[in-house]
Structure formats: structure tokens, C-alpha cells
Amino acid sequence: MRLTRYFLPVLKETPAEAQIVSHRLMLRAGMIKQSSAGIYSWLPLGYKVLKNIETIVHEEQQRAGHIPLLMPTLQSADLWRESGRYDDYGEEMLRIQDRHGRDMLYGPTNEELVTDIFRSHVSSYKDLPLTLYHIQWKFRDERRPRFGVMRGREFYMKDGYNFDLTKEDALHAYNRHLVSYLRTYERMGLQAIPMRADGGPIGGDYTHEFLVLAETGESEVFYDSAVTDLSFGDREIDYDDVAQCQGVLEEFTTKYARTDETHDEALFNEIPEERRRVARGIEVGQIFYFGTKYSDALGATVQGPDGKPVSVHMGSHGIGVSRLLGAIIEASHDENGIIWPEGVTPFHAGIVNLKQGDAEADAACEDLYAKMSAMGLEPLYDDRNERAGGKFATMDLIGLPWRITVGPRGLKNGVVELTSRKTGESEELAPDAALNKIAAIYGKQ
RNA sequence: CGGGGCGUGGCGCAGUCUGGUAGCGCACCUGUUUUGGGUACAGGGGGUCGUAGGUUCGAAUCCUGCCGCCCCGACCA
């Protein structure tokens, strides 16, 4: 993309309403525009990152054998009356009426809808196990939306639901989700620690929240520092292997890691003192096993081998896709702007032309741009007639991991400059060598 | 929902106390200049002062209602 043809409304000054760094940077980098309290338009750059994150979530869900579908945002109140949650959910649920006066609602979650789909079409134990998920906009009418996309009223979320014949099968689904979530967050350059959590209104004995450590996190967390040494890495996983999934769960959840909801001071104090950590975290996902709560309420049963109806065991699992943008920025930025992890960056690299209009510099940039595109990489070429300082400031703000700086001075010696956004380190390389290095980083060679 | 604060060109703000018909910086447009980390100068366009009502010869400014937004707390992906 050429910057002169793009829409990137960056701001030099920070809008007054933004208090935390991710919100400020998202506004300054032209990623979002607030529409009303807790509701945002996603401008091109923000939309691009949102879609990148969504893609990773889709890929990892499907790798784990989960099946995508799409349910509506607007739901009939009838199903919610049937489950008993129409009255229970309270003020956070946005209730509306259609022209016929029928009660509708903007879905805050989808247990009712997905269970309805299930009971309409699944009637035999042979159809199990089944895990359905979707990524869809949700609305929860927060009393006090804040922190930009981290606590919006409208938010984009992956929610999935597993249906199993037995508790054992459902617990394997639980483990499978925990494993797939570890992979998902790592691909985004995040360390998200599974922590024992509280069931809340969804209920359930088994539940973990995934937290990204950040000073601005809303939850207080207590953990053994050994958990931050754990990394999923690129190990092979067979998601059908019950023992392997169970093993990963044990590896990642045995050490003490809890939020303030479930914190146990006595257990915490058993950790060697030098490994005790009290910090803050951003919740970016949660998994539940809740048994037959919804299947009982909504009559989701299958016929077992003996011909008798059995309520299915269910769990639900969520990843806050829109919230993740804020969480990633909270975890990865500096005083000059965002530092995107390579897994989610909106463009693979920036090309800065230090002297727009100089025939040699223009030609070198065009050549880099064409070659990079041919390699399947997406560069952002700053071809504005701006001064170097302005171009560098923009690149730093929007946080592309790599920048190629092209100017007449370097070209005289046959080199361009390749700079890492994260370390700030630069090296001078022949243009093709710089390209090869970027291609290798993104596995395009 | 309790407490606090703020609404003035796209953004950041001054002006409000003490009423006299709107200003600064950034951004934008034109020209000159400059060009390896946000050049300098000159000219220019753009504002129902959140909104409705009231007081007054006269309201951004004083009074009242309403709306919107932000922060702290309690609650939540």
C-alpha cells in the first residue's frame, strides 16, 4: 500500500478522552474512532489488525477440530425466556422491540442460540463430540465503558461451545481449548497465563481465565514466577490425544496462578518467597465446563446407545478478539508508539523514501515495493512528500516491526537501512539483502 | 448506580470569575524555502461556542432543564 493512497489519519496530539496507553495509541495511529460511549468505528489500520487477529483465532480453532459457523447479533427474547436468563441477565442486556412489538435483544453471548441449533439438528450420540464456534459482534451495556476497545459495549468475540456425551469427553474438550488458546496467544506475540477463575453467572466448576500481564490490567493476579517461564513453542499436538492435551493442561496450570477472585493466601505463601508475584493482568479469554446446565434448561439431548435420551455435557469458551488489540498494545509499545508483533502487524514492513521526487530514491523504493509484493509480503510505502522526521515518527507510531529506509546518500553506496522497531537497531544492506532478510523473518522464502 | 469533571473549527487548548459579538498551537489549502529524526516565512479556508429555554439593549460568558463524553468507585469478556 502506498501511503498517499491509503487512509491513515494519524494524530500528533492525544485526544483528551483517552487515558490508557493502548487507547491513546489506537486513536493517534488512526486505528479507531469513537462513535459513542464504548462503541467504535474501526478505521483501515485498526480493521486490518482486527482481521489478522481474527484469522489467527480461526486457524487455531480449526486446527483443534472446532467448526466455524455464524449466528446473528439480534436474537429473539423467547429463547432467553426458555433458559431463564431473560430476566436474570439484567441491565447489561440491550433489549429492543421490532415493529410488531416483539421482544428482541442484541446478543451478549450465544449459549441459547447455539443450543437451539444443536437440539434442532442433533439427535444421536453418534454425532458427538461436536464443537461449534463463531466470531461475532456482541453487545453488553456496560455501566461504565472505558479504556477504548478493552472495555467497550460493542465488542468482537470468538465464542465456542462443545457438546459431548459424557463429562470425560467434555473435559477433554476443555483441555483441547486450553491448548489451542495457548497456541493462539503465542502466535500473536502474547504471553497469556491460564489462571484459575470464578465461574460467575455462566457457572461451572472448571474454568480458567487467560491473562496478559500489564500494569493497566483490570484484574489483580497472584502467581508463581515459574509460570512465566513456560512456553508452548512449536511442539506438535494431536488434539485427539486425550493424554497429551491433559498433559499440557497440567504443565500450564499446576503452578500457582490465580486472579483475586480465587486467590488463596495460604497456598500462595507455600511458593518460595522469591517466586511470588503480585501483578495486574488483562483478561483476554476464558474457558468453562458447565455440565448440563443449558442442555437441561433447553432440552438439548441425544439418544444414547441404549435408546434413552441423555442431556449433553457442554462447555463454552471465549476469546476477546477486539480486546486483544488493546492488550497487545499494552504489552508491546514504547514512548514513540506501538510495536506490533510480527504475527499481527498490519503491514509486514514500512518503506521510507527520504527524498521523494529524487529519481534514484523513487526508483529504488518502487523496486523494493514490487519485489516485496511479489514475495507475498505487504509493505507500506511512505511516498508522501514529507520530511524524514515526519515519516519516521509516523512509522514509529503505527509500529510496523521492520522499516527499510531509502535515501540518496545510502544509494550512492548501494545500501538501504533495515531497522527493527523493537530494538531500534539498524543495519546497512544491499536492497536485495534487506528483502531477503524480511522474507526470511516472515517465512516467505 | 454513587462521587467528581468536561462540552469553544478535524485535534489540543485559552476566553467564562468581572456580559460588549470568538482567539492561539497543531492539522488543512496556496506560494517561497528547507530536506537523513516532526524546517522557516508569508498568505488563506473552516466555528449553530453541546442543546432548549430564561435574564439582558446585548450571552461562549449569568440562571434553569435536558443531552453527550471522561475520570474514581462498585460490577463485568
Side-chain angles (χ1 to χ4, degrees):
Chain A
M1 179 58 68
R2 290 175 166 79
L3 195 41
T4 53
R5 297 189 193 173
Y6 200 44
F7 180 63
L8 184 68
V10 300
L11 304 172
K12 261 192 184 179
E13 283 165 301
T14 305
E17 77 263 17
Q19 292 302 312
I20 65 166
V21 65
S22 59
H23 190 196
R24 283 201 288 255
L25 288 174
M26 287 183 82
L27 290 168
R28 286 199 52 214
M31 296 176 67
I32 52 171
K33 180 184 188 315
Q34 181 165 330
S35 161
S36 60
I39 301 178
Y40 294 85
S41 292
W42 294 77
L43 304 183
L45 193 74
Y47 183 60
K48 227 162 178 306
V49 180
L50 184 71
K51 287 291 155 185
N52 287 346
I53 291 173
E54 178 182 0
T55 298
I56 291 174
V57 173
H58 269 302
E59 287 176 359
E60 292 304 326
Q61 283 302 300
Q62 289 170 55
R63 192 194 302 275
H66 307 156
I67 301 168
L69 48 61
L70 185 60
M71 293 177 272
T73 53
L74 293 176
Q75 307 181 19
S76 159
D78 294 345
L79 272 176
W80 286 70
R81 291 201 175 96
E82 204 179 329
S83 73
R85 288 208 295 181
Y86 191 66
D87 294 324
D88 292 350
Y89 215 93
E91 298 274 281
E92 279 202 2
M93 187 153 75
L94 181 66
R95 296 150 203 262
I96 43 193
Q97 286 194 334
D98 69 11
R99 67 195 298 165
H100 303 290
R102 287 186 286 242
D103 293 323
M104 311 280 291
L105 56 98
Y106 196 119
T109 176
N110 287 71
E111 278 85 3
E112 281 77 2
L113 266 183
V114 77
T115 308
D116 182 54
I117 290 169
F118 180 88
R119 69 180 176 183
S120 301
H121 299 293
V122 180
S123 48
S124 164
Y125 75 97
K126 293 176 187 168
D127 296 322
L128 303 183
L130 180 65
T131 296
L132 301 172
Y133 79 94
H134 75 339
I135 300 179
Q136 177 62 291
W137 292 96
K138 309 286 190 293
F139 195 94
R140 295 185 192 171
D141 200 357
E142 295 277 342
R143 281 185 186 138
R144 181 153 96 83
R146 69 195 114 158
F147 302 152
V149 299
M150 301 250 282
R151 180 160 295 286
R153 294 195 293 170
E154 187 182 53
F155 58 99
Y156 203 43
M157 179 177 167
K158 172 257 163 180
D159 48 317
Y161 307 87
N162 67 284
F163 303 90
D164 290 278
L165 188 60
T166 64
K167 180 174 179 181
E168 291 68 40
D169 290 349
L171 289 178
H172 174 238
Y174 184 89
N175 298 348
R176 209 171 56 227
H177 278 86
L178 186 131
V179 174
S180 71
Y181 278 26
L182 291 171
R183 269 191 71 104
T184 302
Y185 295 122
E186 274 198 21
R187 277 188 65 187
M188 296 173 191
L190 279 179
Q191 179 168 48
I193 304 168
M195 299 198 181
R196 179 177 296 207
D198 187 55
I202 296 175
D205 307 329
Y206 294 82
T207 177
H208 281 90
E209 288 181 341
F210 289 76
L211 286 109
V212 173
L213 298 175
E215 284 173 21
T216 44
E218 290 191 84
S219 314
E220 188 169 27
V221 298
F222 303 82
Y223 63 95
D224 180 337
S225 68
V227 299
T228 55
D229 298 333
L230 297 170
S231 141
F232 192 82
D234 50 8
R235 68 181 87 178
E236 287 294 316
I237 279 283
D238 175 358
Y239 280 106
D240 291 328
D241 185 331
V242 171
Q244 192 185 19
C245 290
Q246 175 73 24
V248 173
L249 174 126
E250 284 169 10
E251 177 185 347
F252 280 84
T253 61
T254 303
K255 298 219 165 50
Y256 190 90
R258 296 192 181 188
T259 65
D260 49 2
E261 293 170 337
T262 54
H263 178 56
D264 182 326
E265 195 69 26
L267 279 176
F268 186 59
N269 287 332
E270 289 173 15
I271 306 167
E273 190 168 359
E274 70 277 8
R275 297 203 331 235
R276 283 179 221 154
R277 297 283 186 280
V278 179
R280 302 199 69 81
I282 301 165
E283 191 195 331
V284 292
Q286 187 163 8
I287 55 177
F288 299 90
Y289 161 70
F290 45 67
T292 58
K293 175 177 176 177
Y294 294 95
S295 46
D296 285 339
L298 294 166
T301 60
V302 293
Q303 269 191 305
D306 58 1
K308 290 182 179 156
V310 185
S311 285
V312 294
H313 287 257
M314 291 177 63
S316 73
H317 335 86
I319 292 180
V321 173
S322 49
R323 172 180 285 187
L324 273 166
L325 275 89
I328 291 170
I329 295 170
E330 290 294 329
S332 182
H333 68 273
D334 64 16
E335 64 280 5
N336 295 321
I338 300 166
I339 305 173
W340 289 118
E342 274 126 7
V344 301
T345 184
F347 295 96
H348 295 100
I351 301 172
V352 168
N353 186 345
L354 290 175
K355 193 161 187 179
Q356 208 68 43
D358 177 272
E360 253 190 280
D362 289 0
C365 288
E366 289 295 339
D367 190 51
L368 282 168
Y369 186 84
K371 285 179 174 162
M372 213 180 283
S373 303
M375 284 171 164
L377 292 168
E378 200 174 1
L380 180 66
Y381 171 23
D382 190 345
D383 59 342
R384 296 173 301 168
N385 195 15
E386 275 282 326
R387 296 172 59 82
K391 292 190 177 187
F392 289 144
T394 299
M395 282 294 174
D396 287 349
L397 176 63
I398 67 172
L400 308 185
W402 297 95
R403 186 184 81 210
I404 304 179
T405 309
V406 179
R409 194 181 295 174
L411 288 175
K412 278 200 185 81
N413 303 316
V415 296
V416 296
E417 193 179 74
L418 180 64
T419 306
S420 159
R421 175 68 182 86
K422 190 171 184 175
T423 66
E425 285 167 15
S426 294
E427 59 179 321
E428 295 200 327
L429 294 167
D432 283 344
L435 275 184
N436 291 337
K437 187 158 178 180
I438 290 175
I441 287 163
Y442 288 105
K444 295 285 183 185
Q445 233 174 8

